[in-house]
Amino acid sequence: DNLGAELSDVSVAFGSTASAEPFTVAAFRVAGANQDQLEQEFVAATEASGEATGFTEVSLGGKTVLSAEEATMGTILIYAKDDTIYWMSGTTEQAEEVLAVLP
């Protein structure tokens, strides 16, 4: 609602590993959304849910991302590109590999 989007503007995709070091990535696209506003709204919703707080900017895989620690999932990363948010949890090494191939 805060982005002025309709449900038909939203696309979501998830992927994860079933390995000893689990990794999860989700992509949330809001067609036509402003990148900065989308990132702000996503971080605010993540923090409000209690999932993670205190995001800081870091550089991984050639991208600038927001990073926070969560008790059960470890590192949570948020990367915004155009009208899409990528949410990741797992090791830094796994995230660097994924981020390196994202737009």
Side-chain angles (χ1 to χ4, degrees):
D1 287 341
N2 291 345
L3 298 170
E6 300 293 326
L7 187 55
S8 60
D9 297 325
V10 179
S11 302
V12 180
F14 293 92
S16 64
T17 64
S19 64
E21 290 186 320
F23 185 80
T24 300
V25 62
F28 301 88
R29 180 175 183 252
V30 182
N34 171 278
Q35 178 177 314
D36 293 334
Q37 187 180 9
L38 179 61
E39 182 179 72
Q40 291 169 3
E41 292 293 334
F42 200 85
V43 168
T46 301
E47 290 182 330
S49 73
E51 198 167 318
T53 58
F55 283 92
T56 58
E57 214 173 78
V58 298
S59 180
L60 290 173
K63 310 284 191 299
T64 300
V65 300
L66 297 175
S67 175
E69 294 300 316
E70 198 277 333
T72 59
M73 289 185 272
T75 302
I76 292 177
L77 300 167
I78 294 175
Y79 167 61
K81 179 65 177 164
D82 300 327
D83 59 1
T84 304
I85 287 283
Y86 300 90
W87 180 98
M88 293 166 242
S89 69
T91 69
T92 301
E93 293 78 17
Q94 291 166 316
E96 283 184 309
E97 189 175 335
V98 170
L99 285 162
V101 298
L102 291 176

